[in-house]
């Protein structure tokens, strides 16, 4: 999955369609192997077409600030899909939450 993501990153500027196919393939391999993608990596891929979202080349990014609602809107130039990422001061990702850790296993290097 790491190799496919890096290939998608390299191809996103020159050949966005090839980048989209690499992104879709990385997602499907992750699903088949039952592996979770890191949220920061998942946010850089388009949900619909799988292209790597680079500002100004494959995506338009707009920052909206209203009285009670603030968000960043990312529009994919390849398929037109729109994603919104809400900005709230108290928001914390589940993986960053200490209660998400179920068990920690440490291996002894001596044996």
């Amino acid at each position: 999955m790491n190799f496919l993501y890096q290939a998608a990153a390299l191809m996103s500027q020159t050949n966005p369609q090839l980048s989209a196919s690499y992104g879709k393939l990385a997602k499907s391999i992750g699903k088949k192997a039952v592996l979770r993608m890191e949220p920061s990596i998942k946010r850089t891929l388009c949900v619909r077409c799988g292209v790597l979202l680079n500002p100004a080349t494959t995506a338009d990014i707009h920052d909206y600030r209203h009285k009670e609602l603030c968000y960043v809107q990312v529009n994919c130039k390849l398929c037109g899909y729109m994603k919104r990422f809400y900005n709230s001061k108290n928001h914390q990702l589940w993986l960053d939450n200490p209660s998400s850790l179920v068990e920690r296993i440490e291996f002894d290097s001596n044996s």
Side-chain angles (χ1 to χ4, degrees):
M1 284 178 30
N2 185 17
F3 175 76
L4 289 170
Y5 180 77
Q6 289 177 6
L10 287 174
M11 288 292 145
S12 66
Q13 293 179 358
T14 57
N15 194 349
Q17 289 81 12
L18 188 59
S19 173
S21 67
Y22 287 156
K24 281 184 179 179
L25 188 60
K27 281 184 184 180
S28 64
I29 287 174
K31 284 181 183 177
K32 185 169 183 167
V34 193
L35 297 172
R36 292 181 186 254
M37 291 180 105
E38 192 71 28
S40 59
I41 293 174
K42 193 186 291 187
R43 286 190 180 121
T44 60
L45 294 174
C46 178
V47 175
R48 189 183 294 167
C49 66
V51 72
L52 189 81
L53 298 172
N54 284 335
T57 56
T58 58
D60 290 325
I61 298 177
H62 303 285
D63 189 19
Y64 291 101
R65 297 189 187 274
H66 301 288
K67 291 181 181 176
E68 295 181 14
L69 189 64
C70 296
Y71 60 88
V72 176
Q73 182 172 326
V74 180
N75 297 328
C76 179
K77 288 184 178 180
L78 198 63
C79 67
Y81 189 76
M82 177 190 68
K83 286 170 74 169
R84 285 185 182 175
F85 299 109
Y86 292 97
N87 301 331
S88 92
K89 294 177 184 175
N90 300 328
H91 181 71
Q92 186 178 14
L93 291 175
W94 173 251
L95 292 176
D96 295 337
N97 191 354
S99 65
S100 68
L101 186 63
V102 177
E103 182 180 1
R104 184 174 178 170
I105 300 173
E106 293 185 18
F107 294 102
D108 188 23
S109 62
N110 295 335
S111 49

